[in-house]
């Protein structure tokens, strides 16, 4: 007996060591079967889809994307092919490809839970995508520096704050966001999205100063292919603020004469509007009456709400998403009509949820035919029958109108004979006058 436990332990160790090898063997066998299916039917969407899923599960992402692309060309409405194309693209760091495939799944996918997960994942990918783009731009700086941006492409980095009240520092982000929104109302300009500009500024300053100075801003504008950028500052003296802004040519560094407005903090929104109209003049942009009316609109009239919104932007830029969500929630609570705060809150919530989404959690959320297709692919199978729905419909119909043929199929066995069955009333009277049978079929169509 003294040898039983050590021997059992040795067996367990051997089994644990062999388990990965056995799993790899099963995966290899499944892929071999599916590759044979594809060779036999190269235009079979089912064969291509199953092989693409199997390749993904084996971490053969390039092959998975190639096969799934063929399946999607043959059937653009195949949800599983789109879903796994997105998973494979994301595994390779191709966020643009993942985003396109995931958006396709949102249009054609059948599993409601997975659609929610994919929608959240897209929010997380959006941030990862702008960060990856910033890293690529810095890596290719030498090449980008020789290609000037269009003078009508405008970038607005965060403003710089100086003053005794540090609680106002987040206005650097909030006012830049307002200026970007207002400049975007002109059809003559292409304004770089705030998140793209911020990601690039963050990437540049990682090894430099803690603030976005003028030289850093110009460098960021060059990397983001902007022709001009708006460089601004906020100066607090006592209870007054001064907002300054100049337009800088990215190509040659020429700076226009600065615009400057001063007033109390309570007049912040009026000051921003005055400043942005001066910026349009520096850019030599003439607004139409309709565009001017859009620029004059204020997203909120609550200074406290805007300060909370600005703090939310700062927290989100720093990756503190829970703090950002709390600030945006506070902003929209203070002003329920503050649409930008609501949109940012929803985006942060989705990004936090999307960060928890994985290939495993997505697969666990698949249902119905899509779950069967993935399960079959893992086993090396192609053909799937939606047995559950078929049986439900067949059994319901047989309750209403029993089929003799079905009874023969179900009851006849080799070497036996089958006698037709009579309903109970006919069996008693022996007359060919069967009792009428009624029933109902309930079809439930769930909201997508």
């Amino acid at each position: 007996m003294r040898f039983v436990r050590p021997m059992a332990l040795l067996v367990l160790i051997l089994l644990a060591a062999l388990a990965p090898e056995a799993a790899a063997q099963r995966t290899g066998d499944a892929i071999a079967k599916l590759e044979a299916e594809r060779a036999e039917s190269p235009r079979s969407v089912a064969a291509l889809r199953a092989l693409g899923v199997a390749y993904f599960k084996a971490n053969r992402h390039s092959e998975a994307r190639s096969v799934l692309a063929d399946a999607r060309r043959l059937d653009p409405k195949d949800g599983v092919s789109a879903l796994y194309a997105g998973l494979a693209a994301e595994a390779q760091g191709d966020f643009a490809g993942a985003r396109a495939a995931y958006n396709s799944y949102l249009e054609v996918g059948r599993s409601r839970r997975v659609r929610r997960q994919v929608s959240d994942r897209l929010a997380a990918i959006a941030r990862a995508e702008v960060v990856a783009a910033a890293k690529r731009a810095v890596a290719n700086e030498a090449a980008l520096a020789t290609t000037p941006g269009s003078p009508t492409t405008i970038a607005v980095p965060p403003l710089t704050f100086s003053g005794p009240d540090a609680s106002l520092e987040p206005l650097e982000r909030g006012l830049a966001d307002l200026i970007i929104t207002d400049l975007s109302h002109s059809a003559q300009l292409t304004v770089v999205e705030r998140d793209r500009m911020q990601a690039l500024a963050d990437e540049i300053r990682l090894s430099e100063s803690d603030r976005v100075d003028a030289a850093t801003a110009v460098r960021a504008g060059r990397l983001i292919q902007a022709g001009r950028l708006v460089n601004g500052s906020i100066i607090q003296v006592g209870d007054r603020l001064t907002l300054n802004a100049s337009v800088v040519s990215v190509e040659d560094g020429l700076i226009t004469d600065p615009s400057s407005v001063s007033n109390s903090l309570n007049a912040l929104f009026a000051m921003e509007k005055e400043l942005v109209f001066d910026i349009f003049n520096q850019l030599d942009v003439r607004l139409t009456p309709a565009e001017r009316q859009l620029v004059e609109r204020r997203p909120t009239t609550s200074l406290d709400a805007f300060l909370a919104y600005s703090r939310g932007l700062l927290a989100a830029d720093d990756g503190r998403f829970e703090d950002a969500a709390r600030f945006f929630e506070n902003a929209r609570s203070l002003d329920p009509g503050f649409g930008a705060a609501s949109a940012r809150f929803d985006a942060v919530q989705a990004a936090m949820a999307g960060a928890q989404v994985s290939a495993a959690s997505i697969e666990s959320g698949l249902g119905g035919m899509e779950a069967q297709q993935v399960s079959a692919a893992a086993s090396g199978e192609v053909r799937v029958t939606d047995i559950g729905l078929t049986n439900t419909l067949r059994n319901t119909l047989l309750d209403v109108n029993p089929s003799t043929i079905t009874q023969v199929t179900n009851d006849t066995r080799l070497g036996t004979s089958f006698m037709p069955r009579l309903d109970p009333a006919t069996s008693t009277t022996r007359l060919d006058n069967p009792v009428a049978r009624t029933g109902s079929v309930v079809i439930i169509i769930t909201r997508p």
Side-chain angles (χ1 to χ4, degrees):
M1 293 295 294
R2 71 181 63 179
F3 296 103
V4 171
R5 288 185 178 177
M7 183 61 71
L9 181 60
L10 178 59
V11 170
L12 290 175
I13 293 174
L14 289 173
L15 289 175
L18 292 174
E21 184 178 345
Q25 180 62 44
R26 288 194 299 272
T27 300
D29 292 343
I31 289 177
K33 288 174 61 179
L34 294 172
E35 286 175 337
E37 287 274 1
R38 178 189 55 176
E40 183 177 346
S41 305
R43 294 185 60 80
S44 167
V45 173
L48 293 168
R49 177 212 307 126
L51 181 57
V53 172
Y55 278 150
F56 173 80
K57 289 178 174 293
N59 295 322
R60 295 164 62 172
H61 301 128
S62 294
E63 293 166 288
R65 294 185 69 182
S66 176
V67 170
L68 292 169
D70 291 339
R72 295 177 67 196
R73 277 192 291 270
L74 291 169
D75 184 2
K77 294 185 178 181
D78 187 78
V80 170
S81 296
L83 179 63
Y84 277 82
L87 290 171
E90 189 176 354
Q92 291 189 306
D94 180 2
F95 298 114
R99 174 165 43 82
Y102 285 151
N103 278 321
S104 179
Y105 181 81
L106 290 180
E107 296 178 3
V108 302
R110 299 182 183 180
S111 300
R112 182 184 303 178
R113 180 182 169 190
V114 173
R115 287 202 301 271
R116 288 197 299 269
Q117 289 179 308
V118 167
S119 181
D120 290 339
R121 188 61 191 161
L122 282 169
I125 285 177
R127 179 174 175 81
E129 191 173 2
V130 295
V131 171
K135 292 182 181 297
R136 285 196 303 271
V138 171
N140 297 324
E141 183 170 3
L144 293 173
T146 61
T147 307
S150 168
T152 60
T153 299
I154 312 299
V156 184
L159 281 66
T160 56
F161 173 83
S162 62
D165 189 353
S167 68
L168 299 180
E169 189 171 314
L171 289 175
E172 295 177 336
R173 315 297 172 100
L175 284 173
D177 186 68
L178 275 187
I179 293 171
I180 288 171
T181 300
D182 288 341
L183 294 180
S184 298
H185 291 311
S186 170
Q188 301 176 48
L189 302 176
T190 299
V191 185
V192 177
E193 296 91 340
R194 194 200 81 88
D195 292 346
R196 285 184 60 207
M197 184 66 198
Q198 186 61 51
L200 194 51
D202 289 342
E203 184 66 23
I204 290 174
R205 74 184 183 190
L206 287 178
S207 58
E208 299 180 357
S209 65
D210 195 35
R211 304 294 291 275
V212 182
D213 56 20
T216 302
V218 170
R219 182 183 174 199
R222 184 179 298 112
L223 291 176
I224 213 164
Q225 295 291 276
R228 289 181 288 180
L229 57 87
V230 176
N231 201 35
S233 64
I234 308 166
I235 302 173
Q236 180 197 17
V237 178
D239 61 352
R240 294 182 67 82
L241 289 182
T242 298
L243 306 183
N244 302 304
S246 299
V247 174
V248 183
S249 171
V250 173
E251 184 176 10
D252 53 25
L254 292 178
I255 304 175
T256 62
D257 292 334
S259 298
S260 182
V261 294
S262 297
N263 210 324
S264 64
L265 178 61
N266 290 331
L268 180 67
F269 300 124
M271 294 167 61
E272 187 274 336
K273 296 304 178 187
E274 183 179 348
L275 184 70
V276 83
F277 282 121
D278 284 345
I279 293 171
F280 277 121
N281 290 332
Q282 292 185 50
L283 294 170
D284 197 25
V285 170
R286 299 293 176 261
L287 297 171
T288 66
E291 290 172 342
R292 177 173 289 274
Q293 188 175 20
L294 290 173
V295 173
E296 288 173 345
R297 291 180 181 175
R298 299 182 181 183
T300 180
T301 56
S302 170
L303 180 59
D304 289 337
F306 185 68
L307 282 169
Y309 176 78
S310 301
R311 295 183 184 114
L313 292 176
L314 178 60
D317 291 341
D318 291 342
R320 297 181 286 113
F321 297 120
E322 291 185 2
D323 290 340
R326 187 174 67 254
F327 287 130
F328 291 137
E329 173 65 15
N330 184 28
R332 71 177 189 175
S333 296
L334 291 168
D335 181 1
F338 193 176
S342 295
R344 289 281 181 179
F345 174 79
D346 293 341
V348 167
Q349 289 284 81
M352 288 193 296
Q356 305 303 315
V357 174
S358 64
S361 66
I362 285 178
E363 288 184 340
S364 67
L366 290 169
M369 177 65 76
E370 291 185 337
Q372 294 179 40
Q373 289 171 345
V374 172
S375 177
S379 302
E381 302 296 331
V382 170
R383 295 166 182 80
V384 178
T385 303
D386 197 348
I387 297 173
L389 179 59
T390 302
N391 281 341
T392 299
L393 290 174
R394 183 177 65 244
N395 293 337
T396 303
L397 291 172
L398 289 178
D399 287 341
V400 176
N401 184 26
S403 169
T404 300
I405 296 177
T406 303
Q407 293 293 346
V408 172
T409 303
N410 291 341
D411 296 346
T412 301
R413 301 292 184 269
L414 186 62
T416 64
S417 61
F418 170 78
M419 292 297 294
R421 295 178 179 177
L422 301 178
D423 68 288
T426 305
S427 298
T428 302
T429 62
R430 312 305 296 178
L431 297 175
D432 189 13
N433 186 23
V435 178
R437 303 291 295 273
T438 61
S440 62
V441 178
V442 179
I443 300 175
I444 301 175
I445 303 176
T446 60
R447 181 177 295 176

